[in-house]
Amino acid sequence: MRLSRYFLPVLKETPSEAQIASHRLMLRAGMIKQASAGIYSWLPLGYKVLRNVERIVHEEQQRAGHIPMLMPTLQSADLWRESGRYDAYGPEMLRIRDRHERDLLFGPTNEEMITDIFRSHVSSYKSLPMTLYHIQWKFRDEVRPRFGVMRGREFLMKDGYNFDVDYDSAIHAYNRHMVSYLRTYERMGLKAIPMRAESGPIGGDDTHEFLVLAETGESEVFYDSAITDLTFGDRDVDYDNREECAAIVKEWTTPYARTDDTHDESVFAEVPEDRQRRSRGIEVGQIFYFGTKYSEPMGATVVNDQGEHVPVHMGSHGIGVSRLLGAIIEASHDDNGIIWPEGVTPFDCGIVNLKQGDAEADSACEGLYHALRKKGLEPLYDDREERAGAKFATMDLIGLPWRITVGPRGLKNGVVELTSRRTGESEEMSPEAAVDRVAQIYSGT
Amino acid sequence: MRLSRYFLPVLKETPSEAQIASHRLMLRAGMIKQASAGIYSWLPLGYKVLRNVERIVHEEQQRAGHIPMLMPTLQSADLWRESGRYDAYGPEMLRIRDRHERDLLFGPTNEEMITDIFRSHVSSYKSLPMTLYHIQWKFRDEVRPRFGVMRGREFLMKDGYNFDVDYDSAIHAYNRHMVSYLRTYERMGLKAIPMRAESGPIGGDDTHEFLVLAETGESEVFYDSAITDLTFGDRDVDYDNREECAAIVKEWTTPYARTDDTHDESVFAEVPEDRQRRSRGIEVGQIFYFGTKYSEPMGATVVNDQGEHVPVHMGSHGIGVSRLLGAIIEASHDDNGIIWPEGVTPFDCGIVNLKQGDAEADSACEGLYHALRKKGLEPLYDDREERAGAKFATMDLIGLPWRITVGPRGLKNGVVELTSRRTGESEEMSPEAAVDRVAQIYSGT
């Protein structure tokens, strides 16, 4: 993309309404614009990151064998009356009446709807195990929406639901989700720690939240520092293998890690003192096993291998897709702006032309632009007639991890400059070498 | 995908509520499930096609230089009061009140919101031309939702908005959209004819609808058969070239083609009689030029090259993404089921194992499955223990354009059978040749 043809409305002023870094930076970098309280438009740069996060979630869900589909945003109130949640949910549920005076609601989650789909179409254990998921816009009418996309009202979420014939199989689904989530967050450059949590209005006997450490997090967290040393890496997991998934879950759930809801000082005291950490965290996902809580009242049963009708065991598993953008920025920024991890960056590499209009500089930039695209990369070429300082400031603000700087002086020696946004370190090299280096960096993502 | 691990709830019975082929077939093929009147869940197979259609729309919009973003589903009523449409829109607008008694609405379209974004961030003609678009769920509270996704209430639409400094530039944007739409529909295997139309509640001086010919279409259409002979092919269009775009528009708008709204018998009579066609059509898109209808009341102005503040010229351009699935099926099915064009098919090729459990047949199917995937294709392998007849019926119903049939008898002679869904013709060849043939068919899509 050439910046002269893009819509990137960066702000020079720091917006006064934004209290935390991610909100401030998303507004300043022209990623979002508030439409109403807690409701945002995703401007082109923000939309690109949102799509990247969504793509990683899709890829990892499908790698784990989960099946994508899509449920609508609006739901019939009748389904929620069946489960008893229509009245129980409270004022966070946005209730709507259509022209025929039928009660609808903007879905805050989809347990009822997916259970209805399941009971309409599945009747035998032979169709199990099955996990269906979707990524759809949800609405929760927060009293005080704040912190930008971190606590918005309309938000994008992946929610997945497993259907299993018995407890053991459902626990494997739970474990499979935990494993796939570990991998998902790591691909986004995040350290997200699974912590034992309390169940909310969804209900559940077994549940973990995934928290990203950040000073601005809304939850207080307590953990053994050993857990932050764990990395998932590129393990080749067989998601059908119960023992393998259980072993990974054990690895991540053995060190103490809890939110204030479940924190137990006496257990925490057993962690070696130099490894005890008290901090704050941002919730970016949650997994639940809730057994037959919905399948029983809603009559979602299957015939098992004994010929008996049994209610299916279910769980639900969520990732806060839009919220993740805030969490990533909270975890990865500096005074000059955002620092995107390679996995989610909106453009792979910036190209800064120090002397727009200079034939040689223009031609070198064009060459880099095409060479990067030919490697399957997406560069953002700042081809505006602006001072170098302004161009650098924009690139730092929007946080592309790599920048190639092109100027007449370097070109005389046949070199351009490759700069890391994270370290600030620069290296001079030929344009070809710069292209190869950037391609090499992204070859693993 | 292995069918034994997929969720494909095909129906044997023809659902009584469905009046037209596409609705019937989408229900029978397990593509959708009604959630409420005019509101559907997209089951895995339907979701895959929806994503394919969406991907083609994205690719062609970006090829034309249009910039993707995303606006929320819910909008503030205040914006619509500014344009005067809040009261004018009528009962099709779903009006919502939140917990703080603020008026919201589920967006049926986004002229107001995009104009607000524009006026907040753009002030100079130097930022123009600019076209922003998004693909988002919309809601129109139809009195009688019917025909499945063809006339639903919650529907997925691409809507794009151009901003230009003057009339000529806005007309180029109009033409650019027409050209990109021609290419978009053709990639989906559709013949969509641009027809002069009347403007609806969006308002507009110049507007064309795109109609797919189908007996079940809601609009009556009149056209010169010369227009259906035109094909777009893989022309390498320079979307910045005004003359080139205008010439293509001229090519497609010269033959007579109008809906009943704008039909003129006296003009139609001038078409040679043997080329006069009266038929029905399904609207799958519409483009509008409406000048300063929104920019004036909402104060969306830019400074032009004379230093004057002028309201921007705008247009809006829509593609009915979810409705397209219905239109494609109306245009492409037979008594046995759907016939997907290669461009949008949910899976590229089916594999039918005639004797599941036979070591040789199983191993040949596994070999084909992996070989196709290695070529970047997505096969659907029917690995269930079912009769051959049931497997063929499922494949015909869900409409994959190509099927490879594997059985012990053929394997003895080293061959499998490759069958075209469209023609029903089969050819025997080695498994390797079948894989190469299928890969070759898809290499152009």
Side-chain angles (χ1 to χ4, degrees), chain A residues 178-378:
Chain A
M178 187 180 289
V179 172
S180 72
Y181 279 27
L182 290 169
R183 190 178 170 119
T184 301
Y185 294 122
E186 201 169 287
R187 277 189 65 188
M188 296 177 190
L190 286 175
K191 192 138 296 252
I193 306 173
M195 301 197 178
R196 180 160 291 281
E198 273 195 338
S199 68
I202 290 174
D205 300 330
D206 212 338
T207 172
H208 280 84
E209 288 178 347
F210 287 78
L211 287 106
V212 172
L213 299 176
E215 285 166 28
T216 48
E218 289 182 292
S219 311
E220 204 177 350
V221 298
F222 305 84
Y223 63 95
D224 176 344
S225 69
I227 200 166
T228 52
D229 296 335
L230 298 174
T231 54
F232 196 86
D234 55 358
R235 309 181 191 203
D236 189 16
V237 178
D238 174 0
Y239 282 100
D240 289 334
N241 186 321
R242 295 190 179 191
E243 290 70 32
E244 191 177 343
C245 291
I248 296 172
V249 167
K250 192 170 178 201
E251 192 182 344
W252 256 272
T253 52
T254 301
Y256 188 94
R258 296 198 187 178
T259 64
D260 42 8
D261 287 337
T262 53
H263 178 57
D264 183 330
E265 273 294 339
S266 67
V267 184
F268 191 49
E270 290 166 24
V271 176
E273 209 163 331
D274 63 320
R275 292 193 345 222
Q276 289 179 12
R277 298 285 184 280
R278 292 156 196 271
S279 175
R280 301 198 70 83
I282 300 166
E283 191 206 323
V284 292
Q286 186 157 12
I287 55 177
F288 288 100
Y289 164 71
F290 50 66
T292 60
K293 180 178 155 74
Y294 295 92
S295 57
E296 279 203 62
M298 294 185 66
T301 61
V302 291
V303 173
N304 69 13
D305 60 358
Q306 311 293 311
E308 303 155 342
H309 288 266
V310 293
V312 284
H313 288 251
M314 294 174 57
S316 75
H317 314 281
I319 292 180
V321 174
S322 48
R323 158 175 271 227
L324 267 167
L325 275 76
I328 293 169
I329 296 174
E330 288 297 331
S332 183
H333 69 273
D334 63 17
D335 290 345
N336 297 324
I338 302 165
I339 306 171
W340 290 116
E342 275 87 0
V344 299
T345 183
F347 294 97
D348 298 315
C349 179
I351 302 172
V352 168
N353 187 341
L354 293 179
K355 204 167 179 188
Q356 202 71 36
D358 175 89
E360 240 186 306
D362 289 2
S363 139
C365 287
E366 289 292 330
L368 283 166
Y369 186 72
H370 291 292
L372 287 164
R373 285 166 60 97
K374 218 167 161 181
K375 296 263 187 192
L377 297 167
E378 216 182 346

Side-chain angles (χ1 to χ4, degrees), chain A residues 22 25 33 38 43 83 129-131 141 151 173 201 209 218 238 246-247 256 292-293 310 313 330 381 396 414 427 432:
Chain A
S22 59
L25 288 170
K33 180 181 189 306
L43 303 182
S83 73
M130 181 160 79
T131 294
D141 204 355
R151 203 169 188 84
E209 288 178 347
E218 289 182 292
D238 174 0
Y256 188 94
T292 60
K293 180 178 155 74
V310 293
H313 288 251
E330 288 297 331
Y381 170 24
D396 282 354
E427 201 179 328
E432 297 73 29

Side-chain angles (χ1 to χ4, degrees), chain B residues 18-194:
Chain B
Q19 298 165 36
I20 60 171
S22 59
H23 189 191
R24 217 152 44 223
L25 289 170
M26 288 180 81
L27 289 169
R28 282 196 54 213
M31 291 179 64
I32 54 172
K33 180 182 191 305
Q34 182 173 300
S36 319
I39 306 180
Y40 291 87
S41 286
W42 296 79
L43 303 182
L45 193 77
Y47 176 67
K48 273 185 83 77
V49 183
L50 190 70
R51 286 298 295 247
N52 287 343
V53 168
E54 200 182 14
R55 178 178 45 76
I56 291 175
V57 173
H58 270 303
E59 286 174 5
E60 293 305 328
Q61 285 301 301
Q62 289 173 49
R63 192 195 302 271
H66 304 160
I67 306 172
M69 59 173 300
L70 189 63
M71 289 174 273
T73 64
L74 295 193
Q75 304 186 18
S76 154
D78 289 339
L79 264 182
W80 287 68
R81 292 196 177 104
E82 264 192 74
S83 72
R85 283 209 293 178
Y86 188 65
D87 295 319
Y89 211 92
E92 282 198 3
M93 178 186 279
L94 188 67
R95 292 154 212 265
I96 302 169
R97 194 157 278 183
D98 72 11
R99 69 191 293 177
H100 296 301
E101 303 290 318
R102 280 174 299 214
D103 289 324
L104 299 171
L105 56 97
F106 201 121
T109 175
N110 286 65
E111 282 79 9
E112 285 79 358
M113 191 174 270
I114 197 77
T115 305
D116 180 54
I117 289 169
F118 182 88
R119 71 180 172 187
S120 305
H121 291 300
V122 182
S123 54
S124 163
Y125 76 99
K126 288 181 188 163
S127 303
L128 307 184
M130 182 160 79
T131 294
L132 299 168
Y133 79 92
H134 73 157
I135 300 180
Q136 178 60 293
W137 292 92
K138 310 283 194 294
F139 199 89
R140 285 185 198 156
D141 203 355
E142 300 271 353
V143 185
R144 277 177 299 123
R146 56 195 182 283
F147 304 151
V149 300
M150 295 272 274
R151 204 167 187 86
R153 296 198 292 167
E154 185 169 329
F155 59 97
L156 188 61
M157 189 169 139
K158 170 257 157 184
D159 41 326
Y161 305 89
N162 68 285
F163 298 92
D164 286 275
V165 72
D166 57 27
Y167 175 81
D168 286 350
S169 173
I171 291 302
H172 173 55
Y174 185 89
N175 292 342
R176 201 172 60 226
H177 277 89
M178 188 181 287
V179 173
S180 71
Y181 279 27
L182 290 169
R183 191 180 171 117
T184 301
Y185 295 122
E186 201 169 287
R187 278 188 65 188
M188 296 175 190
L190 286 175
K191 187 129 315 236
I193 306 173

Side-chain angles (χ1 to χ4, degrees), chain A residues 1 4-7 9 11 32-37 39-45 47-48 50-51 54 58 62 65-76 79 91-92 94-100 102 104 106 113 116-118 120-122 126-127 129-130 132 135-137 139 141-145 153-154 156 240 378, chain B residues 1 4-7 9 11 32-37 39-45 47-48 50-51 54 58 62 65-76 79 91-92 94-100 102 104 106 113 116-118 120-122 126-127 129-130 132 135-137 139 141-145 153-154 156 240 378:
Chain A
M1 180 58 68
S4 64
R5 306 197 67 164
Y6 202 50
F7 179 50
L11 306 180
I32 53 171
K33 180 181 189 306
Q34 182 172 299
S36 317
I39 304 179
Y40 291 87
S41 286
W42 297 79
L43 303 182
L45 193 77
Y47 176 67
K48 273 184 83 76
L50 190 68
R51 286 297 295 247
E54 200 182 13
H58 270 303
Q62 289 173 51
H66 305 159
I67 306 172
M69 60 172 299
L70 188 63
M71 288 173 274
T73 64
L74 296 193
Q75 304 186 18
S76 154
L79 264 184
E92 283 197 3
L94 188 68
R95 291 154 213 264
I96 302 170
R97 193 157 280 182
D98 72 10
R99 69 193 291 176
H100 295 301
R102 280 173 301 213
L104 299 171
F106 201 122
M113 191 173 272
D116 178 53
I117 289 169
F118 182 88
S120 305
H121 292 298
V122 182
K126 287 182 187 163
S127 303
M130 181 160 79
L132 299 168
I135 300 181
Q136 178 61 292
W137 292 92
F139 199 91
D141 204 355
E142 299 270 354
V143 186
R144 277 177 298 123
R153 295 199 292 167
E154 186 169 328
L156 188 61
D240 289 334
E378 216 182 346
Chain B
M1 180 58 68
S4 64
R5 305 196 67 163
Y6 202 50
F7 178 49
L11 306 180
I32 54 172
K33 180 182 191 305
Q34 182 173 300
S36 319
I39 306 180
Y40 291 87
S41 286
W42 296 79
L43 303 182
L45 193 77
Y47 176 67
K48 273 185 83 77
L50 190 70
R51 286 298 295 247
E54 200 182 14
H58 270 303
Q62 289 173 49
H66 304 160
I67 306 172
M69 59 173 300
L70 189 63
M71 289 174 273
T73 64
L74 295 193
Q75 304 186 18
S76 154
L79 264 182
E92 282 198 3
L94 188 67
R95 292 154 212 265
I96 302 169
R97 194 157 278 183
D98 72 11
R99 69 191 293 177
H100 296 301
R102 280 174 299 214
L104 299 171
F106 201 121
M113 191 174 270
D116 180 54
I117 289 169
F118 182 88
S120 305
H121 291 300
V122 182
K126 288 181 188 163
S127 303
M130 182 160 79
L132 299 168
I135 300 180
Q136 178 60 293
W137 292 92
F139 199 89
D141 203 355
E142 300 271 353
V143 185
R144 277 177 299 123
R153 296 198 292 167
E154 185 169 329
L156 188 61
D240 289 335
E378 216 182 344

